[in-house]
Amino acid sequence: MSKLRVQSFAVSIDGFGAGPNQGLQNPLGVRGPELMEWFFHTRLWKKMQGQDGGETGIDCQIAEQGFAGIGAWILGRNMFGPIRGPWPDEEWKGWWGDEPPYHTPVFVLTHHPRPPLRMAGGTEFRFVTEGIHAALAQATAAAGGLDVRLGGGVATVRQYLRAALIDELHLAIRPVLLGTGEDLFDDLDMRALGYACEKFVPGERAMHVFLRKSG
Ligand SMILES: NC(=O)c1ccc[n+]([C@@H]2O[C@H](COP(=O)([O-])OP(=O)(O)OC[C@H]3O[C@@H](n4cnc5c(N)ncnc54)[C@H](OP(=O)(O)O)[C@@H]3O)[C@@H](O)[C@H]2O)c1
């Protein structure tokens, strides 16, 4: 059965999944790149940038596993871009250039409708205004029996956690303190929601923690 998986989601020691004040100049929020430092050294990241080289250790292997068996993605609108409110036009096509790294249908949660956007390499952004259950149903149907990956950002992951809809959650816990930003677990009782830590694997620049929902 198709699972809903969060993979490679970076958090600081103090539980932030993004820095504050996301915008065009700070796609990950202020100081957000400190969260992704574990990923920037990997062969996978370099390949995504069209570069050779990169490290092939634990961090890279776990990041690569996160792309295996995925038939569709779900993103929040802020992960798709920095524009807030009604779309002024259809110019913004995501942070990732002409060929985004998804290569599947990608369901973007938003309150502001927009026609689907087909990109090179098989990615199609489809904008969903009917909420998280509708996005999951559409993504599951599109995934054709494969898993659905929930990419983020923080507000979107929190909604799916609160509804206990995420089957597996891989966190890359970075040894940094952000102090402020988007708090992943604020006011969420993960135990009561049925989550438990299944395993943890020390990587080169992050501690990889795998949570699974029981039942
Ligand atoms: N730590 C990591 O590994 C990681 C991974 C991915 C992203 N991020 C970071 O996370 C940050 C973005 O996270 P975020 O918490 O600001 O926002 P987000 O979850 O990406 O998007 C939130 C927005 O999506 C729309 N949305 C969400 N749920 C909806 C619903 N149920 N119905 C309709 N629309 C809905 C709303 O936009 P509208 O109302 O404006 O339409 C909402 O403001 C970025 O800085 C990004 O880089 C971090």
Side-chain angles (χ1 to χ4, degrees), residues 8-11 16-19 22 26-29 35-36 75-80 83-85 109-112 128-132 151-157 159 182:
S8 299
F9 201 85
V11 280
F16 295 103
Q22 191 224 31
N26 290 299
L28 302 163
L35 296 174
M36 299 311 295
L75 309 183
R77 196 258 183 104
N78 299 357
M79 184 169 168
F80 177 70
I83 298 169
R84 306 290 191 262
L109 277 162
T110 176
H111 292 98
H112 303 280
V128 181
T129 55
E130 301 91 2
I132 62 168
V154 179
T156 298
V157 173
Q159 287 180 73
E182 305 301 328

Side-chain angles (χ1 to χ4, degrees), residues 46-134:
K46 303 268 183 208
K47 193 173 156 202
M48 286 163 74
Q49 307 308 306
Q51 299 167 11
D52 294 328
E55 298 176 7
T56 57
I58 304 279
D59 288 343
C60 184
Q61 290 163 31
I62 290 178
E64 286 175 345
Q65 284 162 17
F67 282 86
I70 301 295
W73 286 67
I74 299 172
L75 309 183
R77 196 258 183 104
N78 299 357
M79 184 169 168
F80 177 70
I83 298 169
R84 306 290 191 262
W87 304 99
D89 51 42
E90 287 171 24
E91 284 292 299
W92 181 265
K93 296 186 168 128
W95 303 100
W96 306 276
D98 292 337
E99 188 170 344
Y102 302 106
H103 311 294
T104 67
V106 177
F107 296 84
V108 180
L109 277 162
T110 176
H111 292 98
H112 303 280
R114 185 176 160 172
L117 181 58
R118 189 168 293 189
M119 307 293 288
T123 298
E124 183 173 297
F125 294 111
R126 302 182 194 166
F127 299 88
V128 181
T129 55
E130 301 91 2
I132 62 168
H133 292 87

